[in-house]
Amino acid sequence: MLIQINMRDDVPIYEQLRREIIKGILTGALEPGEVLPSVRNMAENLSINMHTVSKAYNILKNEGFLSLEKSNRATVNDRRALNADDGFMSQLEKEVERLMIEAKCRGMDKNQLLKMVEQKFDLY
């Protein structure tokens, strides 16, 4: 799987890595049971700090996307076992509200925003 990190992006690198791995799980580029590169190898491959990779892996573990073993082996979990729990729903609501406020301030109307959301949702 090709992971793209933009060093100039305002989004922290660990969050970019987290998002790329989740996208890979959704699209099937990462299969359940697949072992990800070690923290060290991922860091070397992406030319980023090992602590950044470790942080992303640990967040993904806490969210249920990965299993981590003592050997620092990260394995992809089956996404069908995940659910939209209260924590996720609360986080999603805050993010949607933030984006909606900015979109509305920039002149987007409800239909434009909903169309964009539907297109992105249908893309995956």
Side-chain angles (χ1 to χ4, degrees):
M1 178 186 149
L2 178 64
I3 293 179
Q4 297 179 341
I5 301 295
N6 181 349
M7 299 299 185
R8 298 177 195 255
D9 199 322
D10 290 339
V11 176
I13 295 169
Y14 74 88
E15 180 62 21
Q16 291 182 50
L17 178 57
R18 177 189 162 274
R19 291 175 184 180
E20 286 287 302
I21 290 171
I22 292 171
K23 186 176 177 181
I25 292 169
L26 176 65
T27 62
L30 293 172
E31 297 286 336
E34 186 170 339
V35 177
L36 296 180
S38 69
V39 168
R40 181 183 304 276
N41 286 341
M42 181 70 83
E44 288 175 2
N45 292 341
L46 298 174
S47 298
I48 61 177
N49 190 290
M50 284 178 29
H51 297 289
T52 302
V53 175
S54 181
K55 184 173 184 173
Y57 279 14
N58 279 301
I59 291 170
L60 289 163
K61 174 192 171 265
N62 292 337
E63 294 173 336
F65 290 101
L66 298 180
S67 293
L68 297 180
E69 298 176 13
K70 289 182 182 179
S71 63
N72 286 335
R73 191 171 113 152
T75 306
V76 176
N77 290 333
D78 190 339
R79 71 182 180 93
R80 293 173 293 184
L82 298 171
N83 59 35
D85 62 13
D86 290 342
F88 172 76
M89 292 303 289
S90 176
Q91 178 186 350
L92 180 62
E93 187 174 343
K94 289 175 187 173
E95 189 66 15
V96 167
E97 182 178 20
R98 183 189 68 76
L99 292 169
M100 184 273 316
I101 289 169
E102 186 168 343
K104 200 165 184 177
C105 280
R106 293 180 180 271
M108 283 184 79
D109 66 32
K110 182 179 177 179
N111 290 332
Q112 286 176 299
L113 184 61
L114 291 174
K115 183 178 179 181
M116 182 182 293
V117 170
E118 285 178 351
Q119 287 173 340
K120 292 296 182 183
F121 194 88
D122 291 344
L123 181 63
Y124 297 103

